[in-house]
Amino acid sequence: MTVTHDMIRRLSRYKTVLKRLKSLGFVKVFSDNLGDALGISASLVRKDFASFGITGNKRGGYQVEALLVKLYEILGKNCSQQIIVVGCGKIGTALIDYNNFKQDGIKVVAGFDVASDIITTEGPAPIYDISELEEFIRREQIQIAILAVPESAAAHTADTLIHAGIKGILNFAPIQLKGPSNCIIRNINIRMEIEHLFCLIHFQEKDEAINE
Amino acid sequence: MTVTHDMIRRLSRYKTVLKRLKSLGFVKVFSDNLGDALGISASLVRKDFASFGITGNKRGGYQVEALLVKLYEILGKNCSQQIIVVGCGKIGTALIDYNNFKQDGIKVVAGFDVASDIITTEGPAPIYDISELEEFIRREQIQIAILAVPESAAAHTADTLIHAGIKGILNFAPIQLKGPSNCIIRNINIRMEIEHLFCLIHFQEKDEAINE
């Protein structure tokens, strides 16, 4: 079986939806429901599950609890998801204290920055000098970092992170970073997203058809 | 010709790269260079350009200036890209004063929030009460909004934005929103991205192959 990033992404989204359904008291769920929630077809949902040996009943129904157990097995239960934030400017600082992380057990355990005046042990997480970054990652066995440094510092900071053992980076610097095989980098380029929306709107206004 | 979102996204990225190259004094660029910058093949670059009637010379070279003119024609020049931020919590506030917008002429002209204690005319952009949102959008002919409200308020706030004439939404609320045909919604779910990275790492640690 070939597992793709997109497939893992969908499994991860199924897991999120199923956790919500469980908390709402749901016992069963249909592939149609999950398809609707993810904006994909029910048959793709069934195909994803079948790839991992999960089959529903005849009517396409699955037991929520059993599905979750299986997804935890595949994806990890993520009881303690400790991450760090590197670059504590506006976006970095906002993410250190990001409420939306909390309900899923993601915890920002430290921030790092080059600016000595923002080093602090107060606040939602301590902010350390960037010189302590590598040792901290090794000692605390951190796997994931959010990169929110300026564009000019992004590439070499990412190298430092990877060298220290980071396995996944969520990059907010407005530059496309590519990771080596032992580190997955997801680029979130907010400026490009806005540019892209303006381009799509301009294009649509010329009354030309765009497909999803 | 069928134009896809992905194609427009690539054109928008070519534009960004070309603007940089122009500022560096580049006169010519090859499809290989652009392919490298975007992490795609040179042949896809040539195919994209050919779709819009842009052809290079025999060796695959293009004039930077001529390409930019053509891309501005297709995508709009975006001289004045006025946007608003709805929901001025941590992420929203960080985006109101986001330095990376400035160099590309994107300007956040106002923020909106329900909390009366953060309404202000000071700072990088005024923050108004949410009750003024619809009139502001209509009066200023705003096309794009960043949505950074809590999850529970996301769906109905998006409806309000679309009703007032917003054509594109960059959604940071951790919920997947779907737009009607007259509004493009891009969902950026930071929590899900982190979850997804943990899932990918867990999966890789089990020593299973994942394809990009």
Side-chain angles (χ1 to χ4, degrees):
Chain A
M1 176 184 53
T2 308
V3 178
T4 64
H5 274 220
D6 279 345
M7 195 188 280
I8 299 281
R9 177 176 299 276
R10 289 196 300 273
L11 293 183
S12 155
R13 291 180 62 195
Y14 298 138
K15 191 176 80 168
T16 306
V17 174
L18 287 164
K19 282 198 288 189
R20 293 289 169 90
L21 293 178
K22 188 184 166 187
S23 71
L24 290 169
F26 272 53
V27 175
K28 260 193 303 194
V29 67
F30 292 92
S31 50
D32 277 302
N33 306 135
L34 290 171
D36 287 346
L38 269 72
I40 59 175
S41 72
S43 68
L44 182 53
V45 174
R46 289 192 297 270
K47 205 177 137 203
D48 281 339
F49 289 158
S51 301
F52 291 95
I54 307 166
T55 48
N57 65 22
K58 259 188 210 158
R59 292 172 49 232
Y62 299 86
Q63 298 292 320
V64 170
E65 186 59 40
L67 256 187
L68 265 176
V69 168
K70 188 75 189 175
L71 287 173
Y72 286 145
E73 205 177 282
I74 300 166
L75 304 171
K77 192 156 180 185
N78 308 337
C79 308
S80 162
Q81 303 187 118
Q82 299 202 321
I83 65 174
I84 57 172
V85 171
V86 183
C88 300
K90 295 183 191 85
I91 295 285
T93 307
L95 290 173
I96 284 182
D97 196 22
Y98 188 50
N99 286 322
N100 289 315
F101 283 156
K102 289 161 194 167
Q103 60 179 285
D104 279 306
I106 298 167
K107 183 166 167 52
V108 179
V109 290
F112 294 87
D113 205 282
V114 289
S116 56
D117 57 325
I118 63 166
I119 307 304
T120 174
T121 53
E122 315 267 304
I127 298 179
Y128 300 118
D129 188 272
I130 195 92
S131 62
E132 301 184 45
L133 179 61
E134 290 200 56
E135 203 219 312
F136 186 92
I137 292 169
R138 290 203 177 90
R139 190 178 65 232
E140 303 294 331
Q141 299 184 296
I142 303 295
Q143 293 189 303
I144 290 182
I146 292 179
L147 189 58
V149 299
E151 182 173 352
S152 56
H156 75 83
T157 309
D159 287 344
T160 305
L161 290 171
I162 295 164
H163 183 250
I166 286 290
K167 299 273 183 291
I169 296 174
L170 192 61
N171 171 39
F172 282 90
I175 180 175
Q176 198 78 0
L177 296 180
K178 282 168 221 163
S181 62
N182 60 346
C183 182
I184 302 152
I185 302 185
R186 279 284 294 175
N187 295 290
I188 295 191
N189 191 329
I190 299 172
R191 185 178 71 202
M192 206 178 65
E193 294 291 347
I194 295 286
E195 287 263 359
H196 178 58
L197 282 174
F198 272 109
C199 290
L200 282 169
I201 292 168
H202 178 87
F203 201 81
Q204 281 192 332
E205 281 175 348
K206 293 193 298 176
D207 220 19
E208 310 207 33
I210 309 181
N211 288 357
E212 274 288 351
Chain B
M1 175 183 56
T2 308
V3 178
T4 63
H5 274 219
D6 279 346
M7 195 189 279
I8 300 280
R9 177 175 298 272
R10 289 196 300 273
L11 292 183
S12 155
R13 291 181 62 195
Y14 298 139
K15 192 177 80 168
T16 305
V17 174
L18 287 164
K19 281 199 289 189
R20 293 286 169 91
L21 293 178
K22 187 183 166 187
S23 72
L24 290 170
F26 273 52
V27 174
K28 259 193 303 195
V29 67
F30 292 93
S31 51
D32 278 303
N33 305 135
L34 291 171
D36 287 345
L38 269 71
I40 59 175
S41 72
S43 68
L44 181 54
V45 174
R46 289 192 297 272
K47 206 178 136 202
D48 280 339
F49 289 158
S51 302
F52 291 94
I54 307 167
T55 49
N57 65 22
K58 259 187 213 159
R59 293 172 48 236
Y62 298 85
Q63 299 292 319
V64 170
E65 185 61 39
L67 255 188
L68 265 176
V69 167
K70 189 72 189 177
L71 287 173
Y72 285 144
E73 206 177 283
I74 299 166
L75 304 171
K77 192 157 181 183
N78 308 338
C79 307
S80 163
Q81 303 188 117
Q82 299 201 322
I83 65 174
I84 57 172
V85 171
V86 183
C88 299
K90 296 185 190 84
I91 296 286
T93 307
L95 290 172
I96 284 182
D97 196 23
Y98 188 51
N99 286 322
N100 289 317
F101 283 156
K102 289 161 193 165
Q103 60 178 285
D104 278 306
I106 298 167
K107 185 168 165 49
V108 179
V109 290
F112 294 87
D113 205 281
V114 289
S116 56
D117 58 323
I118 62 166
I119 307 304
T120 175
T121 52
E122 315 267 304
I127 298 178
Y128 300 116
D129 187 90
I130 196 91
S131 62
E132 301 183 43
L133 179 61
E134 290 201 55
E135 204 219 313
F136 187 93
I137 292 170
R138 291 202 176 92
R139 190 178 66 232
E140 304 293 331
Q141 299 183 296
I142 303 297
Q143 292 190 301
I144 290 181
I146 292 178
L147 189 58
V149 298
E151 184 174 353
S152 56
H156 76 82
T157 309
D159 287 344
T160 305
L161 290 170
I162 295 164
H163 183 250
I166 286 290
K167 299 272 184 288
I169 295 173
L170 192 60
N171 172 39
F172 281 90
I175 180 175
Q176 197 79 0
L177 296 179
K178 284 168 218 161
S181 61
N182 60 347
C183 182
I184 302 151
I185 301 184
R186 279 285 292 175
N187 296 291
I188 296 190
N189 191 329
I190 299 172
R191 187 179 67 201
M192 206 177 66
E193 295 291 348
I194 296 287
E195 287 263 358
H196 178 59
L197 283 173
F198 272 108
C199 291
L200 282 168
I201 292 167
H202 177 88
F203 201 82
Q204 281 191 333
E205 281 175 349
K206 293 192 299 175
D207 219 19
E208 309 208 32
I210 308 182
N211 288 356
E212 274 286 353

